[in-house]
Structure formats: C-alpha cells, structure tokens
Amino acid sequence: MRRILKKSLQKPELAATLLLVVLIVVFEYTSNGFFLSAANLRGFLGLMPETALVAVGVTLLMISGEFDLSVGSVFALMPMTMAVLMVHGWPFLLAMSAGLLLCVVIGFLNGWLTLRFEIPSFITTLGMLFMARSLTVVISGGFPPRFDLNAVPAPLFAAFVGPGGLFRASLLWFLAIALLVGFILGRTNFGNWVRATGGFLPAAQAMGIPTVRVKIAAFIICSVLAGFAGMLQVMRLGSPLPSSGEGMELQAVAAAVIGGTSLWGGIGSILGGVIGAILIRVIDNGLVLSQVDGSWFKLAVGALTILAVIGNTWLRKRGQAMKVSEH
Amino acid sequence: MDGNPTAATPVISVRDLHKWYSGVHALRGVSLDIPHGQALGLVGDNGAGKSTLISILSGLHQADSGEIRVDGDPVRMRGPRDAMNLGIETIYQYNSMVPTMTIARNLFIGREPLKAQVGGFGILDERRMRAESVGAIADVGLHLRSPDALVGELSGGQRQGVAIARALYFKSKVLILDEPTNHLSVKETAKVIDYVRTLSEQGMTCIFISHNLQHVFASCSRIVAMAHGEIVLDKPTGETSLDEVQNVL
C-alpha cells in the first residue's frame, strides 16, 4: 500500500491531475452547472486538441533536455504555407506534405544549430520564433489567403463526430497522436534514450547513446506536431491568420511544466503535458462561464504554473523521502 | 603478441599512443600491456594524462597516433559503443547512471532488450529488464528493495555497485573505474575497493584510476604512475611504496 502511495506521489502529473479535478468541480459550481453541459463541452473539446498537441511535442522535447519557443510561429506558418500553395493550384495532399516538410526542416534547424554551435535552444528557438512568424506574414502577403474549405477534406479534421456530435474529428487525431508519442516515450528504446539524454547527458553519452540525433529527432517531432495543430485550427476556422498561435509557445511550456515536466529535462510525462494543456483551457473556459473578467486569465495561468511546480516538487520529495519496508 | 609468443596475449595492449588537445601534448608515447585478470592502479596528478588515456580506451576520444590491441587484434574505437562491444566498460565517478531513471532502466541504457523491433527501434521488454536487473544486482552482493527505485535515491556506493553489476551482466572483459571512490563515505569506499579485489580474483581485468594512493594500493596488484603525459613508474604493488610513487608524481 505504502509502495503504491510512494509511486503515485512520484508521478509527475499528480499535482496537475488533482488541480484539474478541483477546478472542474469549482467551475461546475460557479457556472451553475453549465460547465459540464454538452453545449459547453462541444466548444471546449473542439479547441482543446490544438493546444494539447503543441504541448505534447513541447513536453517530449523538454524531457530530452531542450526547449522550443518557436512552436507558436510554426503553428501559424504551416497552415499558411499550405494555404498559399493551394491558392497557387497545388492539390491538398501535396500542399499539406510541403507544410509538414517545412516543419521538419525548422525542427531540424532548431536542433542542428543548437547542438552544432553549442548554444542554448532557448536562443535558437527564440530566433526561430521571429523568423517563422515573419515568414508567415511575408508569404500571406499581409492578409489571409482565401482558403477554399471545399477543396480540402476539412471534415476529416474538423467535423463534429462522436455521440451527439460532442467532439470534433480533431480530438481523435489528438488522442491517437498523444497515445503514440506517450507509447514511444514510455515503452520503446528510443523513449529510454530520450529520458537518459535529458536526465543526465554525460551518462547517456558514455553509454553510447546517439544523444545529438535523439535531440534533433525530438526537435523535429515538436515542430511537426505544432504545425499539424496549426492545420487543425485552420480546418476549424476556415482561414489561416498570420497572427494565430501568438503566445502559444509560453502556454505550451506552462502546460508541460504544470504537468510535471522538469525544466532541466529527464522528468515528465506526455499525460502530464496533456493534463497541463487541459488545465489551461479549463481555466480560460471556466473564468468566462463564471462571468469573471477575461483579463484575469493570464494571472490565473501564471499563478497556476507556479503553484503546480511548487506542488510537484513537494510531492516528489515526499514520495522520495517515504520509506517502504524492505521485502 | 609479437616478439613473445609464449606469454599469454594481453587483454589490452597499447603502443606509442599520442594525443594533442588544443595545442597541449596530453599523451607523449604511452605504451602499456595489461594481462588478463590484473587489477591495475593508474595514478597521477591532474593533467598527468591518465584521464586522456582512459577516455581513449573507453572510446570517448580517439588517439592521434599509436596502436591499441584488444586480445591481440588491432582495434579502432569510434565511440563508447565500440569499446563496450569489445568488452571494455567504463564506470565514471558520477556520470555512468541517470539519477532520474529506475535501476532497471539504467542497467540497460543503450542495450535495451526488445520484444519487437524495426530498424533498431522497438518495444522494451520491461519484464525481462526488471527480472534480470534484480539478478545482476544480487550477483554483486547488493540488496536493493526494487528494480523500480530511482537511481537518484541510491547512495554513491550503491550506484557504483549497480554500475559494476551492469558491467558484469554484459560480460565485460575489462572494467575501467575512473575515480570510483570520490565523494564516497569511508564505509562505501571500502566496499568499492572490495569489489575491485573480488573482480580481479574472478578473472576480470580492472583499471582503477584514483587520486587516492591508499585506495589504489589497497585494491591493485600493479601500480602505473603517469606524469606529463608519460608513464614514469610501472611496478607490482609489492615492489613499490606510497613514498616512491608520491616522489615520481
């Protein structure tokens, strides 16, 4: 029993999960029962997959010991690239592939520049944040291109499905991808290398793990997921905006950190990042429903970030200090 | 070996090794034969070249010139993995384990048993990792509560024990211990010294690197001292003394 308690205290996503349950109860009460209604869940579950997918990539990358501030810009650049190419007559699949390929290139550049020149990824990706955003505006020509929703299989990504049309197809995409990334991190040798690389780089190197390639792969996965999430948003809204995804990089980092991911790498879980992202959306949505001035949103997220990290650190220490009897 | 076919082939044989680091001549023609099952103590001051020699033998760096033979065959090691595949395993003072990972995961870093795989990537066989890590750790006389405990929760001595268990599990021929007693309590230091003695009695070749001459004298049968990138003393432990070694350093 104590062993199970000790193990769960050391789970990185514990604090966030507890907070999530508390907040859902509170908002359900303050919104007079509207929070968990089908009408509200429809809206909530339509938005959530986009930020949560970005958080999945950022979490994986942070566990490998690196950082990506360019995800918000990539979130806008990928669908913009796709839309502009389609305006020029490219078919959907080709345009989407080109957009995702661009994400691969950006992720690779983020990783390669960081590792080749031994500079902090904070700097590399901060630079990429500006460059990718600028590119988005440049190729859009200053105003959003017309995006013919009939020429793309938008229903495949944005149609309401599920019982009573409760959620959109994007939720299924998100669940499949999050499960896959979670599986890769938790159950494969590559996941083991990611954790070792972020957990203690010299040991990973000494054991012969190709740490540079592992990190570059994590950068690429992070960028591709951000771009894919951006595409999901455009499928929902119908038009790519040069400004979409602004501020998302910090929300994604906050989600990862709230979910128990360490800023120093090695510690964290995909589930934690997802719960962190859901928490942020719950606060956004719950404050509005509770008729609180929306300007309080960032204050709440900020306080939550600090609170969750303090909670995580405390719980982990309690868990480690806890003695379990020898067999 | 060339020249003396009657003697048993050394497990590691180094000839005229040179290494420059950004203009510094860190190794100046080092030659060394290490027979099977020997516990060799490598001593020297900071910058004497012992770390350089060790990082070359463990595959972290490559020599600029010279030859390395393992069991008589010339080898080229391009990375730590090459050295491990040749049976040379290195334990560093603090960096051979990932503290945020479990014992079972640490034991198999980079050499994970897989249930299914495609092109080198695959699904971990976690049941096997747990079961075999329990066995491997028991083999070195360590009793840990669970293979799922984080390495960060272990004491320094226990960590070295797990690292040694890992080397034994993968049937290494040569164990390089780089300052394994740093930051350890007196009791745990005694334990590590004990490991080295037991291992060489069991036929494992050990290279023990330490600042602490007492630790080396207590565990090794041969002392090699380095200074300024060269070997300045090479004697059986019984034929030298702490004073003599201290004088050449």
Side-chain angles (χ1 to χ4, degrees), chain B residues 57-132:
Chain B
L57 288 181
S58 56
L60 275 176
H61 295 122
Q62 279 81 50
D64 292 312
S65 70
E67 187 190 54
I68 303 172
R69 284 170 185 258
V70 173
D71 283 329
D73 300 322
V75 295
R76 252 191 83 78
M77 295 183 279
R78 287 183 192 82
R81 181 50 55 80
D82 286 349
M84 286 186 229
N85 290 342
L86 288 165
I88 304 171
E89 185 106 5
T90 309
I91 295 172
Y92 299 90
Q93 50 177 311
Y94 45 74
N95 63 6
S96 50
M97 293 275 151
V98 180
T100 51
M101 291 169 72
T102 66
I103 295 172
R105 290 283 180 120
N106 262 288
L107 215 97
F108 291 96
I109 289 176
R111 292 179 284 201
E112 296 86 355
L114 302 175
K115 282 194 282 199
Q117 60 171 310
V118 185
F121 296 104
I123 301 166
L124 297 173
D125 189 346
E126 290 184 83
R127 187 190 299 256
R128 198 178 134 198
M129 287 166 71
R130 277 206 202 87
E132 305 211 348

Side-chain angles (χ1 to χ4, degrees), chain A residues 60-243:
Chain A
L60 179 80
L61 181 63
M62 282 175 69
I63 293 173
S64 87
E66 298 292 346
F67 216 67
D68 190 352
L69 291 177
S70 68
V71 285
S73 302
V74 172
F75 184 89
L77 178 58
M78 186 280 176
M80 186 62 78
T81 309
M82 195 175 93
V84 169
L85 287 176
M86 287 181 71
V87 167
H88 283 83
W90 287 42
F92 166 73
L93 264 182
L94 212 60
M96 182 180 84
S97 308
L100 290 175
L101 189 68
L102 181 64
C103 298
V104 171
V105 171
I106 290 176
F108 176 82
L109 274 178
N110 279 338
W112 184 77
L113 289 169
T114 300
L115 301 163
R116 171 67 183 79
F117 298 102
E118 296 175 356
I119 59 175
S121 48
F122 187 92
I123 301 299
T124 324
T125 59
L126 179 65
M128 192 59 81
L129 175 154
F130 290 120
M131 293 194 292
R133 179 65 64 187
S134 173
L135 267 181
T136 311
V137 179
V138 169
I139 63 171
S140 76
F143 51 89
R146 285 192 311 116
F147 195 59
D148 184 6
L149 277 179
N150 294 316
V152 298
L156 190 60
F157 301 100
F160 281 104
V161 289
L166 191 59
F167 51 83
R168 289 171 185 262
S170 58
L171 186 76
L172 300 177
W173 281 94
F174 155 70
L175 285 176
I177 293 173
L179 283 173
L180 180 69
V181 177
F183 180 82
I184 289 174
L185 180 65
R187 301 262 175 262
T188 69
N189 56 349
F190 176 77
N192 213 39
W193 302 347
V194 168
R195 271 196 197 284
T197 301
F200 195 41
L201 189 64
Q205 285 168 334
M207 295 314 292
I209 289 175
T211 55
V212 169
R213 281 185 223 169
V214 167
K215 283 189 173 187
I216 288 183
F219 272 109
I220 291 175
I221 292 171
C222 183
S223 279
V224 168
L225 290 188
F228 187 79
M231 188 184 79
L232 288 182
Q233 189 191 58
V234 170
M235 293 291 179
R236 179 171 59 85
L237 297 178
S239 179
L241 297 169
S243 62

Side-chain angles (χ1 to χ4, degrees), chain A residues 6-28:
Chain A
K6 178 183 165 81
K7 264 188 121 167
S8 33
L9 279 179
Q10 286 176 308
K11 283 254 180 260
E13 61 275 358
L14 177 66
T17 312
L18 294 176
L19 267 169
L20 182 61
V21 173
V22 169
L23 278 182
I24 288 175
V25 172
V26 168
F27 285 138
E28 176 70 0

